[in-house]
mmCIF file of all heavy atoms in Angstrom:
data_model
loop_
_atom_site.group_PDB
_atom_site.id
_atom_site.type_symbol
_atom_site.label_atom_id
_atom_site.label_comp_id
_atom_site.label_asym_id
_atom_site.label_seq_id
_atom_site.Cartn_x
_atom_site.Cartn_y
_atom_site.Cartn_z
ATOM 1 N N ALA A 96 -10.334 16.139 -26.054
ATOM 2 C CA ALA A 96 -10.960 15.363 -27.145
ATOM 3 C C ALA A 96 -12.359 14.911 -26.735
ATOM 4 O O ALA A 96 -12.571 14.496 -25.596
ATOM 5 C CB ALA A 96 -10.055 14.110 -27.410
ATOM 6 N N GLU A 97 -13.266 14.979 -27.687
ATOM 7 C CA GLU A 97 -14.647 14.559 -27.419
ATOM 8 C C GLU A 97 -14.695 13.093 -27.014
ATOM 9 O O GLU A 97 -14.101 12.234 -27.627
ATOM 10 C CB GLU A 97 -15.497 14.789 -28.667
ATOM 11 C CG GLU A 97 -16.967 14.447 -28.435
ATOM 12 C CD GLU A 97 -17.825 14.622 -29.681
ATOM 13 O OE1 GLU A 97 -17.279 15.025 -30.702
ATOM 14 O OE2 GLU A 97 -19.038 14.346 -29.577
ATOM 15 N N GLY A 98 -15.435 12.805 -25.932
ATOM 16 C CA GLY A 98 -15.631 11.450 -25.468
ATOM 17 C C GLY A 98 -14.468 10.830 -24.683
ATOM 18 O O GLY A 98 -14.566 9.699 -24.263
ATOM 19 N N ILE A 99 -13.403 11.625 -24.527
ATOM 20 C CA ILE A 99 -12.224 11.148 -23.755
ATOM 21 C C ILE A 99 -12.135 11.945 -22.481
ATOM 22 O O ILE A 99 -12.187 13.192 -22.506
ATOM 23 C CB ILE A 99 -10.914 11.305 -24.588
ATOM 24 C CG1 ILE A 99 -11.077 10.734 -25.995
ATOM 25 C CG2 ILE A 99 -9.759 10.628 -23.821
ATOM 26 C CD1 ILE A 99 -11.420 9.263 -26.065
ATOM 27 N N PHE A 111 -5.215 7.327 -23.734
ATOM 28 C CA PHE A 111 -6.529 8.018 -23.830
ATOM 29 C C PHE A 111 -7.515 7.146 -23.040
ATOM 30 O O PHE A 111 -7.715 5.990 -23.435
ATOM 31 C CB PHE A 111 -6.968 8.176 -25.276
ATOM 32 C CG PHE A 111 -6.063 8.953 -26.161
ATOM 33 C CD1 PHE A 111 -5.138 8.341 -26.961
ATOM 34 C CD2 PHE A 111 -6.139 10.345 -26.180
ATOM 35 C CE1 PHE A 111 -4.291 9.092 -27.802
ATOM 36 C CE2 PHE A 111 -5.311 11.115 -26.993
ATOM 37 C CZ PHE A 111 -4.383 10.475 -27.796
ATOM 38 N N SER A 113 -11.428 6.747 -21.451
ATOM 39 C CA SER A 113 -12.836 7.151 -21.212
ATOM 40 C C SER A 113 -13.259 6.431 -19.924
ATOM 41 O O SER A 113 -13.316 5.191 -19.889
ATOM 42 C CB SER A 113 -13.694 6.711 -22.381
ATOM 43 O OG SER A 113 -15.062 7.072 -22.164
ATOM 44 N N LYS A 115 -15.581 5.118 -17.081
ATOM 45 C CA LYS A 115 -16.952 4.705 -16.902
ATOM 46 C C LYS A 115 -17.122 4.237 -15.455
ATOM 47 O O LYS A 115 -16.217 3.741 -14.813
ATOM 48 C CB LYS A 115 -17.370 3.610 -17.871
ATOM 49 C CG LYS A 115 -17.048 3.920 -19.313
ATOM 50 C CD LYS A 115 -17.785 5.135 -19.880
ATOM 51 C CE LYS A 115 -17.508 5.363 -21.292
ATOM 52 N NZ LYS A 115 -18.127 6.629 -21.794
ATOM 53 N N TRP A 120 -22.166 -0.177 -19.295
ATOM 54 C CA TRP A 120 -22.637 1.169 -19.566
ATOM 55 C C TRP A 120 -23.158 1.355 -21.009
ATOM 56 O O TRP A 120 -23.881 2.250 -21.306
ATOM 57 C CB TRP A 120 -21.494 2.165 -19.330
ATOM 58 C CG TRP A 120 -20.381 1.971 -20.304
ATOM 59 C CD1 TRP A 120 -19.313 1.180 -20.178
ATOM 60 C CD2 TRP A 120 -20.187 2.620 -21.566
ATOM 61 N NE1 TRP A 120 -18.509 1.255 -21.273
ATOM 62 C CE2 TRP A 120 -18.996 2.159 -22.145
ATOM 63 C CE3 TRP A 120 -20.961 3.601 -22.281
ATOM 64 C CZ2 TRP A 120 -18.556 2.560 -23.367
ATOM 65 C CZ3 TRP A 120 -20.465 4.019 -23.532
ATOM 66 C CH2 TRP A 120 -19.296 3.512 -24.049
ATOM 67 N N SER A 125 -23.789 3.282 -28.639
ATOM 68 C CA SER A 125 -22.863 4.085 -27.858
ATOM 69 C C SER A 125 -21.456 3.552 -27.967
ATOM 70 O O SER A 125 -20.477 4.315 -27.971
ATOM 71 C CB SER A 125 -23.309 4.148 -26.379
ATOM 72 O OG SER A 125 -23.423 2.808 -25.856
ATOM 73 N N MET A 126 -21.245 2.250 -28.060
ATOM 74 C CA MET A 126 -19.941 1.694 -28.290
ATOM 75 C C MET A 126 -19.307 2.056 -29.593
ATOM 76 O O MET A 126 -18.123 2.381 -29.694
ATOM 77 C CB MET A 126 -19.971 0.159 -28.120
ATOM 78 C CG MET A 126 -18.601 -0.496 -28.311
ATOM 79 S SD MET A 126 -17.340 0.199 -27.141
ATOM 80 C CE MET A 126 -17.906 -0.447 -25.614
ATOM 81 N N LYS A 127 -20.147 2.086 -30.644
ATOM 82 C CA LYS A 127 -19.684 2.492 -31.969
ATOM 83 C C LYS A 127 -19.187 3.947 -31.926
ATOM 84 O O LYS A 127 -18.157 4.272 -32.487
ATOM 85 C CB LYS A 127 -20.833 2.336 -32.982
ATOM 86 C CG LYS A 127 -20.377 2.707 -34.399
ATOM 87 C CD LYS A 127 -21.545 2.503 -35.393
ATOM 88 C CE LYS A 127 -21.136 2.908 -36.809
ATOM 89 N NZ LYS A 127 -22.282 2.732 -37.750
ATOM 90 N N LYS A 128 -19.936 4.765 -31.214
ATOM 91 C CA LYS A 128 -19.538 6.193 -31.093
ATOM 92 C C LYS A 128 -18.272 6.301 -30.279
ATOM 93 O O LYS A 128 -17.366 7.103 -30.640
ATOM 94 C CB LYS A 128 -20.654 6.969 -30.398
ATOM 95 C CG LYS A 128 -20.333 8.464 -30.272
ATOM 96 C CD LYS A 128 -21.525 9.240 -29.662
ATOM 97 C CE LYS A 128 -21.222 10.718 -29.568
ATOM 98 N NZ LYS A 128 -22.316 11.475 -28.947
ATOM 99 N N GLN A 129 -18.127 5.528 -29.197
ATOM 100 C CA GLN A 129 -16.925 5.560 -28.409
ATOM 101 C C GLN A 129 -15.658 5.160 -29.189
ATOM 102 O O GLN A 129 -14.643 5.787 -29.129
ATOM 103 C CB GLN A 129 -17.064 4.680 -27.195
ATOM 104 C CG GLN A 129 -15.837 4.653 -26.297
ATOM 105 C CD GLN A 129 -15.662 5.887 -25.472
ATOM 106 O OE1 GLN A 129 -16.289 6.133 -24.465
ATOM 107 N NE2 GLN A 129 -14.752 6.802 -25.928
ATOM 108 N N LYS A 130 -15.860 4.127 -29.996
ATOM 109 C CA LYS A 130 -14.702 3.679 -30.853
ATOM 110 C C LYS A 130 -14.255 4.737 -31.805
ATOM 111 O O LYS A 130 -13.098 4.989 -32.013
ATOM 112 C CB LYS A 130 -15.108 2.399 -31.608
ATOM 113 C CG LYS A 130 -15.207 1.126 -30.785
ATOM 114 C CD LYS A 130 -15.770 -0.008 -31.601
ATOM 115 C CE LYS A 130 -15.823 -1.294 -30.813
ATOM 116 N NZ LYS A 130 -14.521 -1.904 -30.577
ATOM 117 N N GLU A 131 -15.233 5.435 -32.387
ATOM 118 C CA GLU A 131 -14.913 6.512 -33.335
ATOM 119 C C GLU A 131 -14.204 7.638 -32.594
ATOM 120 O O GLU A 131 -13.250 8.274 -33.148
ATOM 121 C CB GLU A 131 -16.182 7.014 -34.045
ATOM 122 C CG GLU A 131 -15.971 8.138 -35.029
ATOM 123 C CD GLU A 131 -14.972 7.785 -36.112
ATOM 124 O OE1 GLU A 131 -14.979 6.638 -36.583
ATOM 125 O OE2 GLU A 131 -14.144 8.662 -36.485
ATOM 126 N N GLN A 132 -14.647 7.952 -31.373
ATOM 127 C CA GLN A 132 -13.951 9.002 -30.591
ATOM 128 C C GLN A 132 -12.533 8.642 -30.263
ATOM 129 O O GLN A 132 -11.640 9.498 -30.300
ATOM 130 C CB GLN A 132 -14.799 9.293 -29.306
ATOM 131 C CG GLN A 132 -16.109 9.947 -29.592
ATOM 132 C CD GLN A 132 -17.084 9.969 -28.400
ATOM 133 O OE1 GLN A 132 -16.978 9.077 -27.527
ATOM 134 N NE2 GLN A 132 -17.965 10.881 -28.368
ATOM 135 N N PHE A 133 -12.295 7.358 -29.943
ATOM 136 C CA PHE A 133 -10.934 6.920 -29.705
ATOM 137 C C PHE A 133 -10.092 7.099 -30.983
ATOM 138 O O PHE A 133 -8.943 7.583 -30.922
ATOM 139 C CB PHE A 133 -10.903 5.480 -29.303
ATOM 140 C CG PHE A 133 -11.165 5.260 -27.793
ATOM 141 C CD1 PHE A 133 -12.066 4.275 -27.443
ATOM 142 C CD2 PHE A 133 -10.558 5.986 -26.855
ATOM 143 C CE1 PHE A 133 -12.304 4.026 -26.070
ATOM 144 C CE2 PHE A 133 -10.838 5.800 -25.523
ATOM 145 C CZ PHE A 133 -11.686 4.771 -25.117
ATOM 146 N N ARG A 134 -10.614 6.696 -32.120
ATOM 147 C CA ARG A 134 -9.886 6.795 -33.401
ATOM 148 C C ARG A 134 -9.543 8.238 -33.710
ATOM 149 O O ARG A 134 -8.439 8.570 -34.128
ATOM 150 C CB ARG A 134 -10.686 6.155 -34.536
ATOM 151 C CG ARG A 134 -10.711 4.652 -34.525
ATOM 152 C CD ARG A 134 -11.226 4.118 -35.853
ATOM 153 N NE ARG A 134 -12.664 4.311 -35.985
ATOM 154 C CZ ARG A 134 -13.617 3.449 -35.606
ATOM 155 N NH1 ARG A 134 -13.245 2.282 -35.076
ATOM 156 N NH2 ARG A 134 -14.867 3.729 -35.758
ATOM 157 N N THR A 135 -10.511 9.124 -33.468
ATOM 158 C CA THR A 135 -10.265 10.574 -33.734
ATOM 159 C C THR A 135 -9.220 11.125 -32.819
ATOM 160 O O THR A 135 -8.317 11.860 -33.274
ATOM 161 C CB THR A 135 -11.587 11.344 -33.571
ATOM 162 O OG1 THR A 135 -12.565 10.856 -34.488
ATOM 163 C CG2 THR A 135 -11.352 12.824 -33.838
ATOM 164 N N ALA A 136 -9.321 10.833 -31.517
ATOM 165 C CA ALA A 136 -8.308 11.348 -30.572
ATOM 166 C C ALA A 136 -6.884 10.867 -30.925
ATOM 167 O O ALA A 136 -5.916 11.647 -30.924
ATOM 168 C CB ALA A 136 -8.691 10.865 -29.162
ATOM 169 N N ARG A 137 -6.793 9.606 -31.316
ATOM 170 C CA ARG A 137 -5.476 9.051 -31.695
ATOM 171 C C ARG A 137 -4.959 9.681 -32.937
ATOM 172 O O ARG A 137 -3.780 10.010 -33.069
ATOM 173 C CB ARG A 137 -5.665 7.531 -31.870
ATOM 174 C CG ARG A 137 -4.391 6.816 -32.291
ATOM 175 C CD ARG A 137 -4.636 5.334 -32.353
ATOM 176 N NE ARG A 137 -4.387 4.667 -31.098
ATOM 177 C CZ ARG A 137 -4.918 3.498 -30.717
ATOM 178 N NH1 ARG A 137 -5.770 2.885 -31.509
ATOM 179 N NH2 ARG A 137 -4.612 2.913 -29.588
ATOM 180 N N ARG A 138 -5.829 9.919 -33.927
ATOM 181 C CA ARG A 138 -5.414 10.529 -35.234
ATOM 182 C C ARG A 138 -4.908 11.921 -35.008
ATOM 183 O O ARG A 138 -3.878 12.313 -35.564
ATOM 184 C CB ARG A 138 -6.619 10.507 -36.182
ATOM 185 C CG ARG A 138 -6.292 11.002 -37.593
ATOM 186 C CD ARG A 138 -7.398 10.710 -38.565
ATOM 187 N NE ARG A 138 -8.669 11.308 -38.172
ATOM 188 C CZ ARG A 138 -9.732 10.627 -37.767
ATOM 189 N NH1 ARG A 138 -9.672 9.317 -37.667
ATOM 190 N NH2 ARG A 138 -10.860 11.228 -37.463
ATOM 191 N N VAL A 139 -5.622 12.736 -34.214
ATOM 192 C CA VAL A 139 -5.193 14.095 -33.920
ATOM 193 C C VAL A 139 -3.891 14.099 -33.203
ATOM 194 O O VAL A 139 -2.962 14.917 -33.502
ATOM 195 C CB VAL A 139 -6.290 14.860 -33.142
ATOM 196 C CG1 VAL A 139 -5.765 16.201 -32.652
ATOM 197 C CG2 VAL A 139 -7.549 15.051 -33.935
ATOM 198 N N CYS A 151 -5.765 3.288 -26.173
ATOM 199 C CA CYS A 151 -7.092 3.800 -25.832
ATOM 200 C C CYS A 151 -7.776 2.823 -24.855
ATOM 201 O O CYS A 151 -7.830 1.609 -25.193
ATOM 202 C CB CYS A 151 -7.940 3.946 -27.068
ATOM 203 S SG CYS A 151 -7.314 5.155 -28.240
#
Side-chain angles (χ1 to χ4, degrees):
E97 182 182 1
I99 312 299
F111 298 98
S113 179
K115 309 298 182 184
W120 66 273
S125 56
M126 179 55 71
K127 182 178 179 181
K128 183 177 181 181
Q129 180 71 81
K130 287 174 179 287
E131 180 57 38
Q132 289 167 336
F133 278 135
R134 285 193 289 268
T135 299
R137 179 178 269 158
R138 184 168 59 249
V139 171
C151 297

